[in-house]
Amino acid sequence: MRHDEFEGICKSIGSGEQMQVKHIVTHQVGTIVACSKEDEFFEVDVSGEHKSWSKDNCKVLH
């Protein structure tokens, strides 16, 4: 995922929009709950479990 796409997603999440992402290695799907902009990670809820996923391993589900 490109940096500008990550930034746009983080702005949407900050505005209250809900988005789901798929981890391209593990194929898990979760809901983004926050962004960690310093290291470009998504904080993701996967069926009640907290995960930190790099933007480089994520694909947004539309």
Side-chain angles (χ1 to χ4, degrees):
M1 175 181 301
R2 295 181 332 268
H3 176 76
D4 57 332
E5 184 180 3
F6 174 79
E7 289 290 326
I9 291 168
C10 290
K11 284 183 182 180
S12 295
I13 297 302
S15 306
E17 189 175 335
Q18 287 202 338
M19 299 180 108
Q20 288 197 314
V21 287
K22 181 175 184 177
H23 194 284
I24 61 174
V25 177
T26 65
H27 304 288
Q28 291 178 302
V29 174
T31 303
I32 302 172
V33 294
C35 293
S36 179
K37 292 188 179 183
E38 308 83 50
D39 48 11
E40 297 190 329
F41 272 70
F42 293 115
E43 302 301 324
V44 183
D45 181 292
V46 181
S47 301
E49 188 176 343
H50 178 265
K51 306 275 186 172
S52 293
W53 291 348
S54 168
K55 72 171 179 62
D56 296 326
N57 291 332
C58 292
K59 177 181 167 186
V60 174
L61 301 178
H62 297 284

